[in-house]
Amino acid sequence: MKWYRRYIAVLSTLLSLGLLSSAHATPWDDLSSDQLEATLVEKFAAGEYSPKGADSCLMCHRRSEKVMAIFDGVHGQGNSSQSPMAGLQCEACHGPQGNHNKGGKEPMISFGPDSKLSASAQNSVCQGCHNDAQQMSWHSSTHNLEEVACSDCHQVHSAKDPVMDKLTVNDTCTSCHSKEKADMNKRSSHPLKWDQMTCVDCHAPHGSMSESALTKPTVNDTCYSCHAEKRGPFLWEHAPVTEDCVTCHNPHGSVNDDLLKHRAPQLCQQCHANDGHASRVVPEPGMDAFGGGKSCLNCHGQIHGSNHPSGSLLQR
């Protein structure tokens, strides 16, 4: 397994330099994160795998429903050559057993919030198998830089990983992204709260070459994948539309119609001065076209672009 060979090389260097100390004399529960990693490296170097594989583990762990649930999912299918259970079984992810079952509970690789191992150490196990094109941007992704572990989102010991289910993936994302959760419950939003759309429709959680981990090269390309009618090209274009959709819209939700960041005319007047506009000439004092109906859009209805020969002002 390539991942642990690289892991051993790095930590063996640290041990030789005295930056990590051996932890054999220390009770396992009292080991620091660095000491635990050093101990696990030594176990990998010894390579004492159990000849009985999962049967040795299940002698103690078969009473745990969480442990046994792995046989209901893809990671527990022994008839699949890509499954850990077809190879080293439990030890493919948790490391060589060594003397773990011979008293003293010698440490194994553990995952989840209670693990003392760093997120990068935990993730290196997963990346030993999951290293295809979908993970090529992981190392520069926000999730990796923020030290998010794969197990923080994924559930391996389960029949169905919630992140892989379109009806539950949004709950996983919004458990951390609370601001976006609040936005998607505002009066104008994409149908995320009804699970008709998912966060991963637009974002790549394992990272991408685009800003905000978008699945497409740009914000506009992401929007156009659903809103194709806004793509153009148009004879008369509106500069902020062609530049970036989020100039005017908040894609996660807004208190204004059509996901707008502000109401018209305030939104329009961020770029367009209202001095001397013809709408000021109205019969009723104190009233103008800015304050009624759709405001600026009463006249400039083709705000995303116009193909009419006389549509230079986006009015037709």
Side-chain angles (χ1 to χ4, degrees):
M1 297 171 69
K2 296 180 180 179
W3 68 268
Y4 81 77
R5 290 195 187 100
R6 182 174 65 251
Y7 193 47
I8 288 175
V10 172
L11 288 184
S12 295
T13 302
L14 294 177
L15 280 168
S16 65
L17 294 175
L19 298 179
L20 292 178
S21 58
S22 180
H24 286 303
T26 308
W28 308 126
D29 292 340
D30 296 334
L31 294 180
S32 67
S33 177
D34 290 340
Q35 290 173 325
L36 177 60
E37 290 188 23
T39 301
L40 292 172
V41 166
E42 292 177 4
K43 285 190 65 178
F44 270 112
E48 296 180 2
Y49 290 91
S50 170
K52 297 182 179 180
D55 290 339
S56 298
C57 305
L58 296 180
M59 289 177 63
C60 297
H61 295 287
R62 69 169 61 250
R63 294 189 182 91
S64 171
E65 293 183 1
K66 182 177 180 180
V67 170
M68 298 303 293
I70 192 160
F71 295 104
D72 298 326
V74 295
H75 288 85
Q77 303 303 312
N79 58 355
S80 172
S81 61
Q82 297 181 338
S83 170
M85 204 56 63
L88 292 172
Q89 301 184 342
C90 303
E91 293 168 288
C93 298
H94 295 282
Q97 190 177 85
N99 295 319
H100 176 73
N101 63 338
K102 298 178 181 178
K105 296 299 181 185
E106 190 174 272
M108 305 282 288
I109 296 176
S110 61
F111 304 88
D114 296 330
S115 176
K116 284 187 177 182
L117 291 176
S118 63
S120 59
Q122 295 181 51
N123 293 346
S124 66
V125 178
C126 305
Q127 290 168 337
C129 295
H130 298 280
N131 55 2
D132 55 19
Q134 292 184 347
Q135 283 78 39
M136 66 180 296
S137 299
W138 170 254
H139 293 289
S140 60
S141 70
T142 301
H143 281 153
N144 180 53
L145 297 176
E146 293 291 337
E147 298 185 348
V148 176
C150 302
S151 57
D152 290 339
C153 301
H154 292 278
Q155 295 182 16
V156 175
H157 282 255
S158 65
K160 197 169 186 179
D161 189 348
V163 178
M164 306 302 291
D165 188 340
K166 289 187 175 181
L167 297 179
T168 54
V169 61
N170 290 347
D171 293 333
T172 303
C173 298
T174 55
S175 64
C176 292
H177 299 280
S178 55
K179 180 181 182 298
E180 285 70 23
K181 182 178 182 179
D183 286 341
M184 63 188 263
N185 283 284
K186 292 178 179 177
R187 62 184 293 267
S188 174
S189 66
H190 283 111
L192 289 158
K193 60 183 175 182
W194 295 288
D195 297 318
Q196 296 176 2
M197 182 178 176
T198 70
C199 303
V200 297
D201 289 339
C202 299
H203 299 280
H206 299 111
S208 75
M209 305 301 289
S210 307
E211 60 178 311
S212 303
L214 292 173
T215 57
K216 303 293 183 182
T218 66
V219 172
N220 283 17
D221 286 336
T222 305
C223 300
Y224 293 154
S225 61
C226 292
H227 303 282
E229 75 282 3
K230 304 297 191 294
R231 182 188 297 273
F234 295 107
L235 177 62
W236 304 103
E237 295 181 332
H238 193 192
V241 174
T242 58
E243 181 181 352
D244 197 334
C245 298
V246 299
T247 301
C248 299
H249 300 279
N250 182 347
H252 294 110
S254 172
V255 296
N256 303 306
D257 291 338
D258 302 319
L259 301 173
L260 292 175
K261 290 184 173 180
H262 304 281
R263 289 184 179 183
Q266 285 81 10
L267 177 66
C268 306
Q269 289 171 354
Q270 290 181 343
C271 297
H272 302 280
N274 65 352
D275 294 338
H277 196 279
S279 67
R280 292 297 183 187
V281 183
V282 290
E284 297 183 26
M287 296 293 292
D288 57 48
F290 285 139
K294 291 188 175 182
S295 188
C296 303
L297 277 68
N298 288 333
C299 300
H300 306 282
Q302 301 300 315
I303 202 66
H304 289 99
S306 173
N307 279 320
H308 196 282
S310 300
S312 61
L313 299 178
L314 308 178
Q315 290 178 307
R316 59 184 73 187

